[in-house]
Amino acid sequence: MTDTSIQTSLGKSEYSYYFLFKQFMPALEQIARVIPVASPDEVDPLFHQLSSSGESVIFLSISPPQQTPLHLRCPTVCLFAWEFPDAPDRMWDNDARHDWRYVLTRITGAIACSHESAQSIRNLMGPDYPVVTIPAPVWAHFGDLLPAGGWQPHSGPRSFEFSGNIIDSSVLGLSADGLVQHLPRPPRHSVTCPVTAQPGPWRLSWNLFRSWIAALRRDRHPRVAPKPSGEQPPPSQAGLQPQEKSRLELSGVVFCSILNPMDGRKNWIDIITAFCWAFRDTPDATLILKMTHHDLESYRIILLTLLSRLAPFQCRVVALHGFLDDDKYRELITLTDFYINASNAEGLCLPLMEFLSAGKPALAPRHTAMLDYLDEDVARLVETSEELASWSHDPVGILGSRRHRLNWESLMQGYRDCHTLARTDPEAYQRMSVCGWQRMQQLSETSVVAAELKAFLNTLVAAEQVEAEA
């Protein structure tokens, strides 16, 4: 994927690796000369050209292991994000690469974006396998958004200009009546059945025979389609027409989540239902969902139906469908009070890291990759419990792994706690803001990540040289 194709690729398989590549680029450029390639076919010619002039060359494949090229002579390192505590150890679809052991034994090493995923590689390959944990260096892109002293909860109105499709619960006139056909029903009649003697076996057989003959006669006549009893409501047009530079006026406590609605891990329906139930009588609460998917119709009717079933509620839900450039994305971060994550597994969660880097507190569970940077100092934590799961790309769906089931009640109460915090304790909110900013600086500042990358890649280059001399 490229800068031009990503706008039409949102939500497609592995689209998030484009953003991972963009985040790692500044750190890579601090330690080496970086040459992006459009195809693996370009790698080996570059390798022969550069290595013959004395340069050390490594091909960094920013992709899952099963998509990492294995036919190259150039030393290859896989940089990946993974959301499960174990790594695939079997093949499917007649493709040995789905067994990660097959891939990892044929490349030079691996870079995992979280400690849990790195440990899953060690558990699979042994403790001496060359794998390291290095998170994406996101802090430098958003750390400058923090004002002096940290963020205070927004108290006044603010606006956001957006070009794209907008579904705004405040202007839809939501009602569950639009989902149900209220048709006239025939009046009930009381029926009194006279008490009669039970028919004997011959009479019962005769009655069954007559019913059978009548059914045969009915089948000989052509069937007429039943007439519709009542008008069908027309399909909703809400959100269908994209809007240019539409201005959203926002107020109150603003929650935001950025997600792919077709990603089952994200629990976006729970995000909405818990929000609407928590604030059904609270008008100064707004939830913004930035949907990262190329197909609006994949979720539009589902969303409209869900909001209609939840109505009436006084809070506000706004779904945005369209590409945000860097400036608009930064603007969205600044007007948000809390970032929301309700997923059952995360390989990294770049948006959550980006909002924390800007000093925005979060409402999120603490598991998988989020174990590396979330605690009560930077977020209101949502409770979860482990359950069986299958690996995300396993077509059979064997329940051989684990994920974290969301506690809906904890999410709903978390919304209320965040709202109360913003309204009654701005000093505590400000402390969380600064703590999140500092946490991400320590974890993902560009120079920190660059130093970790340099140390690991130098180790791999030295090992390659020793092997070549042997």
Side-chain angles (χ1 to χ4, degrees):
M1 297 181 186
T2 64
D3 291 341
T4 54
S5 66
I6 187 61
Q7 298 189 31
T8 57
S9 301
L10 293 176
K12 294 183 179 179
S13 178
E14 316 302 349
Y15 80 99
S16 60
Y17 276 91
Y18 165 83
F19 297 102
L20 196 61
F21 162 73
K22 296 286 284 186
Q23 294 289 359
F24 267 97
M25 183 61 79
L28 290 167
E29 290 176 335
Q30 284 192 11
I31 64 169
R33 181 156 63 101
V34 182
I35 305 175
V37 294
S39 166
D41 296 336
E42 302 176 33
V43 174
D44 275 347
L46 283 169
F47 169 64
H48 293 305
Q49 173 190 341
L50 298 171
S51 59
S52 63
S53 63
E55 293 192 71
S56 299
V57 187
I58 284 181
F59 172 51
L60 187 63
S61 178
I62 304 180
S63 62
Q66 72 271 9
Q67 294 182 7
T68 298
L70 301 180
H71 62 279
L72 303 174
R73 294 191 63 187
C74 181
T76 300
V77 174
C78 173
L79 192 161
F80 71 99
W82 182 242
E83 63 268 26
F84 295 97
D86 42 25
D89 57 358
R90 57 185 174 83
M91 64 174 288
W92 53 78
D93 291 339
N94 294 319
D95 188 347
R97 293 179 301 172
H98 290 298
D99 184 340
W100 284 11
R101 294 171 298 183
Y102 180 84
V103 176
L104 295 170
T105 55
R106 287 163 172 79
I107 63 176
T108 306
I111 299 173
C113 290
S114 72
H115 283 90
E116 184 183 70
S117 53
Q119 187 59 46
S120 73
I121 298 300
R122 296 187 188 99
N123 294 341
L124 184 70
M125 303 299 295
D128 296 329
Y129 186 83
V131 60
V132 67
T133 301
I134 304 179
V138 302
W139 180 84
H141 297 273
F142 303 96
D144 62 309
L145 293 177
L146 185 81
W151 285 102
Q152 291 275 351
H154 289 284
S155 57
R158 57 267 199 207
S159 61
F160 182 66
E161 191 177 88
F162 178 74
S163 294
N165 301 82
I166 302 174
I167 298 175
D168 187 348
S169 67
S170 66
V171 298
L172 290 179
L174 294 170
S175 171
D177 294 342
L179 302 175
V180 183
Q181 296 280 336
H182 290 290
L183 305 178
R185 302 186 181 279
R188 293 186 177 183
H189 299 283
S190 59
V191 178
T192 303
C193 297
V195 179
T196 58
Q198 293 293 327
W202 287 104
R203 173 59 62 180
L204 183 61
S205 299
W206 174 249
N207 290 341
L208 290 172
F209 176 75
R210 290 175 61 189
S211 300
W212 177 62
I213 293 296
L216 289 177
R217 288 173 177 170
R218 286 195 300 270
D219 285 344
R220 292 178 180 177
H221 299 285
R223 298 189 178 187
V224 180
K227 296 181 179 180
S229 54
E231 295 183 0
Q232 296 289 335
S236 174
Q237 302 298 306
L240 270 181
Q241 296 299 321
Q243 304 176 39
E244 288 295 325
K245 297 184 178 180
S246 178
R247 182 167 294 276
L248 292 169
E249 301 297 335
L250 304 170
S251 62
V253 181
V254 174
F255 300 83
C256 181
S257 189
I258 299 172
L259 52 86
N260 174 7
M262 304 310 292
D263 186 343
R265 299 172 303 164
K266 300 301 183 179
N267 290 320
W268 67 275
I269 290 179
D270 289 325
I271 289 176
I272 295 175
T273 56
F275 176 82
C276 291
W277 193 250
F279 302 125
R280 61 192 183 278
D281 300 319
T282 307
D284 72 328
T286 298
L287 172 64
I288 297 177
L289 294 176
K290 173 61 185 71
M291 300 298 203
T292 57
H293 200 274
H294 63 283
D295 184 7
L296 174 66
E297 287 304 292
S298 65
Y299 66 87
R300 186 180 67 91
I301 296 300
I302 298 173
L303 174 59
L304 291 173
T305 302
L306 178 64
L307 294 175
S308 298
R309 295 174 66 193
L310 288 165
F313 51 83
Q314 295 189 40
C315 53
R316 182 184 183 189
V317 178
V318 180
L320 305 178
H321 180 93
F323 189 78
L324 292 179
D325 61 26
D326 291 344
D327 291 338
K328 296 303 296 183
Y329 184 45
R330 287 164 61 89
E331 183 182 348
L332 177 62
I333 292 176
T334 60
L335 59 84
T336 296
D337 293 299
F338 292 93
Y339 186 81
I340 309 303
N341 178 294
S343 64
N344 54 44
E346 286 288 357
L348 188 60
C349 195
L350 280 174
L352 175 56
M353 294 178 65
E354 290 162 352
F355 275 70
L356 287 171
S357 296
K360 296 295 182 175
L363 171 63
R366 187 174 184 268
H367 56 61
T368 53
M370 295 181 289
L371 289 168
D372 292 350
Y373 54 86
L374 273 191
D375 59 24
E376 293 88 349
D377 293 333
V378 303
R380 165 56 165 86
L381 300 182
V382 178
E383 297 175 4
T384 60
S385 56
E386 282 194 343
E387 65 178 353
L388 290 175
S390 59
W391 295 314
S392 52
H393 61 297
D394 180 358
V396 180
I398 293 177
L399 295 173
S401 188
R402 290 166 289 151
R403 65 182 184 186
H404 301 264
R405 176 182 292 182
L406 182 76
N407 184 320
W408 184 92
E409 179 74 16
S410 177
L411 176 62
M412 188 271 294
Q413 187 58 49
Y415 275 121
R416 292 176 175 172
D417 292 345
C418 289
H419 189 275
T420 300
L421 175 69
R423 284 288 172 258
T424 64
D425 198 348
E427 291 79 13
Y429 179 94
Q430 190 173 24
R431 287 193 297 271
M432 292 181 70
S433 170
V434 174
C435 189
W437 183 88
Q438 293 173 339
R439 178 74 48 79
M440 300 312 298
Q441 182 187 31
Q442 297 165 1
L443 179 76
S444 64
E445 201 273 326
T446 304
S447 62
V448 173
V449 172
E452 294 173 344
L453 284 168
K454 183 177 181 179
F456 181 66
L457 296 179
N458 279 340
T459 300
L460 298 183
V461 167
E464 287 286 329
Q465 292 174 346
V466 169
E467 183 177 345
E469 292 171 358

